[in-house]
Amino acid sequence: MRKFQRLLALVLVTALVLAVIGGVSAQDDKKVLRTDIGPSDVPTLDPAIATDSSSIQILEMTYIGVTFIDEASQVQPGLATDWTVTANDDGTTTYVFNLIHDVPWVKYNPESGAVEQVMDESGAVRVVTAHDFVYGWKRTIDPATAGDYAYLLAGAVAGGEAANSGEGSLDDVGVRAIDDYTLEVIAPNNWSFNPARFGLWMARPQPQWVIEEFAEFWIEPANFVSFGPFALKEWPRGESITIIKNPYWPGTDALPVPALDEVVFYVIDETVALARYEAGELDRTDTVAIAEIPRIQADPVLSQEFNLGNLECTYYAGFSVGIPPMDNVHLRRALSYAIDRQDIVENVTQGGQRPAEFFTNTGMNAAPLQEDYPGVGIGYDPDKAQEELALALADLGLADASELPPITVLYNTSSAHQAVYEAIQAMWADELGVQVELTNQEFATYLDQRPTFPIWRAGWCSDYPDAHNFLFDVFHSSSTNNDTGWSSEAFDALVEQAAAEPDLQARRDLYAQAESLLVSEEAAIAPIYFYASNELTKPYVERTFASGNQERFENWDINN
């Protein structure tokens, strides 16, 4: 124990020093996890608006649905304790969810430095009820909200698609509160993945009184209310976002009370993140710069802190089929065939990624596996690339690839994306003589702008673990996530049939046919690789590893 011999004679000074030390110790005892969330700020914390992984990560910690997806991609009870399922004579299905009682809405108070319960006008604690779910679902589906994910929830509930299109009324949407703690949902079908969809972020309760008072500013830290395991503490834009333990979260077997007091997410790129991790300023980073992976794996300390695993995500290039010259299917095929996916994962990303010939990630239920359907997907084939290029040039009346109009490729700012697309740029030049220009934008801008570019970088991570979430939810003609502008009645029919098909192998066969249309016959996209997770975590952090794209920080701990 450290001794303060020179201060022992000064009683008052000693008391003051001890008081100060006690204050510091109390602060130091807080379990604060420091990590990164990418090079761009979180775009939104509105469940009805969010589309990106960073926004959804924060919402997963602060808002809970009737169900949620755990680290093993299994559906677990969320704010619902249990539910019943009843098949109706008209082909619809009724789900009745029994909710946890007396879960309060909370907000962080910077003056008191504490998370506090939110009171209503009468002074009573506001608690989450089935009515908050009904308001949230209908607000998401309301076309006036203009949420990009509204179509997913709208398709999961009777009357939802009509209301979302403006052709029906929100009053006819099949969700209602039987009482304060009983939520009824009528689905237009009995698809096996419905309970997973009902728990997604856009189907969470939403605070009507706050939204009506503050409109789009309700997500500001001064206004933001939540109820999950964590609350929002601070959000200095472009710098960081901090969540703090919610002491009023009751905890369940699946969603425990957090051991961590706070999680700080810094808005930094992978190069800065690694430097700060090595300097001891971060406890974990999941954005390891790809150029550093060989050094990390060779380092005796960092290699023990490095984890390599699979993620349920697919990396791909999107083609805007309505923008010349990408409106030519032969050119799209030529570009896709010219991508050496094996070379990219071995020599560029170097982090355990796997070449992708299909779009659907292999971890999804009913996913068609490439090895089971040889020749159905699309891979590296220089000869076919040349054949398709010749057909494209003939269609376009051009003598040589150098005569193609300018083609610009957009990616969101990241050294990793830059490295991948510089490699692809070189492949297209070497294999085809096709020259493209690369440009990058900050994440939120990139999301808005990519449909206006001929080619753009994209990735899709599972929202729930079923092939439906990849093929139907992204590329069905009703999807607002389909930035390619491509649609196909044949594709729509296949994925609609697959969703209703009870036989697992029959579903896989249908999805394989849909993949063939998407990536080979029409080549609306070029799948490149299936993601891998490359993370560094300090040894004093006890953690779980999620197979999806959002971590469950309520299950983490720090033991210094």
Side-chain angles (χ1 to χ4, degrees):
M1 181 178 290
R2 187 176 178 183
K3 298 180 180 179
F4 298 91
Q5 294 177 338
R6 291 192 298 168
L7 300 178
L8 290 177
L10 302 173
V11 177
L12 293 177
V13 175
T14 301
L16 177 61
V17 170
L18 290 176
V20 171
I21 291 172
V24 172
S25 297
Q27 181 72 19
D28 288 347
D29 286 343
K30 288 177 62 177
K31 295 183 176 183
V32 180
L33 180 84
R34 303 160 301 170
T35 185
D36 54 333
I37 201 163
S40 301
D41 199 5
V42 174
T44 184
L45 293 182
D46 188 332
I49 301 297
T51 64
D52 64 286
S53 59
S54 56
S55 299
I56 296 165
Q57 176 66 80
I58 304 302
L59 288 169
E60 285 296 318
M61 297 296 95
T62 54
Y63 276 64
I64 301 297
V66 288
T67 62
F68 79 101
I69 310 295
D70 68 13
E71 297 98 332
S73 293
Q74 299 298 309
V75 179
Q76 299 287 355
L79 211 61
T81 58
D82 57 86
W83 57 90
T84 60
V85 183
T86 304
N88 302 319
D89 293 339
D90 62 357
T92 62
T93 304
T94 299
Y95 297 79
V96 176
F97 294 91
N98 299 306
L99 305 180
I100 300 172
H101 290 215
D102 301 324
V103 176
W105 289 95
V106 299
K107 183 167 69 172
Y108 176 74
N109 184 343
E111 294 183 1
S112 67
V115 175
E116 299 175 354
Q117 298 179 99
V118 176
M119 306 297 179
D120 64 18
E121 296 83 354
S122 70
V125 175
R126 288 189 183 272
V127 297
V128 181
T129 69
H131 304 285
D132 297 318
F133 275 97
V134 173
Y135 171 77
W137 282 43
K138 290 186 176 182
R139 178 173 176 266
T140 293
I141 291 170
D142 188 342
T145 305
D148 285 345
Y149 258 102
Y151 75 93
L152 193 154
L153 183 58
V157 58
E161 290 182 338
N164 184 239
S165 68
E167 297 176 358
S169 170
L170 288 170
D171 293 337
D172 296 329
V173 174
V175 57
R176 71 182 182 100
I178 295 176
D179 56 42
D180 284 352
Y181 297 108
T182 311
L183 180 71
E184 179 187 82
V185 178
I186 300 176
N189 47 55
N190 188 24
W191 293 346
S192 60
F193 43 82
N194 279 342
R197 295 200 294 177
F198 296 154
L200 296 177
W201 69 93
M202 81 295 297
R204 306 282 162 86
Q206 296 174 31
Q208 182 174 2
W209 78 97
V210 178
I211 294 170
E212 290 181 346
E213 180 176 0
F214 297 104
E216 68 268 26
F217 300 107
W218 81 271
I219 64 171
E220 295 298 317
N223 307 324
F224 189 76
V225 299
S226 60
F227 58 88
F230 292 89
L232 177 65
K233 181 182 180 184
E234 297 171 336
W235 189 10
R237 294 298 200 277
E239 297 179 12
S240 65
I241 187 166
T242 300
I243 56 176
I244 183 171
K245 178 179 179 178
N246 173 13
Y248 299 100
W249 173 248
T252 69
D253 290 342
L255 287 166
V257 175
L260 297 174
D261 292 296
E262 295 180 12
V263 183
V264 184
F265 301 89
Y266 292 100
V267 179
I268 49 179
D269 67 23
E270 57 265 35
T271 302
V272 175
L274 181 59
R276 293 184 65 175
Y277 180 88
E278 293 193 71
E281 297 172 5
L282 291 185
D283 307 301
R284 170 258 191 179
T285 175
D286 69 344
T287 53
V288 177
I290 56 179
E292 297 288 351
I293 291 176
R295 177 180 70 84
I296 290 169
Q297 292 176 320
D299 186 281
V301 174
L302 293 177
S303 62
Q304 297 302 306
E305 300 173 1
F306 183 68
N307 182 76
L308 176 65
N310 292 325
L311 282 178
E312 294 171 349
C313 307
T314 303
Y315 194 98
Y316 68 100
F319 300 134
S320 294
V321 302
I323 299 178
M326 303 317 300
D327 54 351
N328 187 280
V329 66
H330 297 296
L331 181 58
R332 299 197 299 267
R333 286 192 201 129
L335 294 174
S336 190
Y337 278 127
I339 299 173
D340 189 341
R341 295 151 173 84
Q342 189 67 42
D343 181 73
I344 288 173
V345 301
E346 287 183 357
N347 300 311
V348 181
T349 59
Q350 303 182 72
Q353 295 83 3
R354 294 164 293 137
E357 296 182 3
F358 284 168
F359 174 61
T360 307
N361 189 277
T362 56
M364 298 297 97
N365 181 52
L369 304 180
Q370 294 170 173
E371 57 267 29
D372 294 337
Y373 300 91
V376 174
I378 196 164
Y380 178 55
D381 191 324
D383 292 336
K384 288 185 178 179
Q386 288 289 345
E387 292 172 7
E388 292 293 339
L389 178 64
L391 292 170
L393 294 175
D395 282 350
L396 297 169
L398 303 177
D400 186 82
S402 63
E403 298 178 9
L404 284 167
I407 303 175
T408 304
V409 179
L410 174 69
Y411 62 91
N412 53 300
T413 306
S414 159
S415 62
H417 299 323
Q418 179 179 346
V420 170
Y421 275 89
E422 285 177 346
I424 293 174
Q425 180 186 42
M427 291 171 187
W428 287 343
D430 294 343
E431 296 286 355
L432 302 172
V434 174
Q435 305 296 323
V436 301
E437 296 180 354
L438 305 182
T439 188
N440 66 92
Q441 294 176 344
E442 182 272 332
F443 188 63
T445 304
Y446 142 87
L447 286 176
D448 289 337
Q449 292 296 312
R450 69 186 191 184
T452 68
F453 282 78
I455 305 174
W456 32 271
R457 171 263 156 194
W460 183 263
C461 295
S462 66
D463 300 318
Y464 54 92
D466 194 275
H468 186 88
N469 183 230
F470 276 71
L471 293 171
F472 187 104
D473 289 344
V474 184
F475 292 109
H476 188 274
S477 59
S478 66
S479 172
T480 51
N481 278 311
N482 182 4
D483 288 336
T484 65
W486 173 80
S487 65
S488 163
E489 291 183 1
F491 178 89
D492 285 357
L494 285 167
V495 295
E496 289 167 7
Q497 183 182 349
E501 172 58 57
D503 181 76
L504 186 61
Q505 186 56 50
R507 289 190 75 203
R508 287 197 183 99
D509 292 341
L510 290 165
Y511 285 133
Q513 294 176 55
E515 288 277 5
S516 179
L517 281 171
L518 174 67
V519 305
S520 298
E521 296 176 44
E522 296 290 333
I525 65 167
I528 298 173
Y529 60 76
F530 299 125
Y531 279 58
S533 62
N534 297 289
E535 302 189 46
L536 284 163
T537 311
K538 297 294 185 182
Y540 51 78
V541 177
E542 293 183 9
R543 60 164 297 176
T544 55
F545 289 90
S547 55
N549 202 39
Q550 276 74 48
E551 298 292 348
R552 304 301 320 181
F553 289 103
E554 69 274 7
N555 293 324
W556 291 34
D557 199 356
I558 289 178
N559 292 301
N560 287 327

